[in-house]
């Protein structure tokens, strides 16, 4: 399932997007130059292609002044562009 989710996300988000494993069963997608609406639409399409029964995601825009390392390490971690949650 994780391999399938990775392949689907990779096909949905081209470079310079970064896709990485976030947790035991989560991925994080960091994108540049896409609107929040576009990211949500891409995630909806990707979720429809994944065979898992329970696929959830959330999108959180980051301001240019935000330090990505601090955001990912802080209490905002649970809200930082979580893309796919699958068990």
């Amino acid at each position: 399932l994780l391999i399938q989710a990775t392949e689907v996300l990779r096909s949905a988000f081209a470079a310079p997007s970064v896709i990485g494993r976030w947790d035991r069963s989560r991925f994080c997608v960091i994108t540049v130059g896409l609107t929040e609406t576009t990211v949500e639409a891409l995630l909806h399409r990707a979720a429809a292609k994944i065979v898992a029964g329970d696929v959830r995601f959330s999108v959180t825009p980051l301001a240019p002044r935000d330090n990505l390392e601090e955001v990912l390490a802080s209490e905002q971690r649970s809200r930082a562009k979580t893309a796919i949650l699958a068990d």
Side-chain angles (χ1 to χ4, degrees):
L1 180 61
L2 292 175
I3 292 171
Q4 180 200 19
T6 302
E7 293 300 322
V8 169
L9 289 171
R10 195 178 332 177
S11 69
F13 293 94
S17 296
V18 177
I19 301 166
R21 190 143 173 215
W22 181 258
D23 222 334
R24 184 171 167 245
S25 58
R26 290 195 244 183
F27 288 94
C28 177
V29 178
I30 300 171
T31 63
V32 177
L34 300 174
T35 65
E36 187 174 345
T37 305
T38 301
V39 171
E40 287 182 1
L42 290 169
L43 289 170
H44 276 291
R45 279 189 231 135
K49 293 179 182 179
I50 297 173
V51 188
D54 187 20
V55 176
R56 297 169 285 157
F57 64 85
S58 64
V59 175
T60 304
L62 299 175
R65 67 184 176 283
D66 290 342
N67 180 318
L68 186 57
E69 288 183 29
E70 289 177 9
V71 170
L72 295 176
S74 74
E75 62 193 10
Q76 296 180 27
R77 178 179 175 178
S78 63
R79 300 180 323 172
K81 295 232 182 221
T82 303
I84 297 291
L85 302 175
D87 291 332

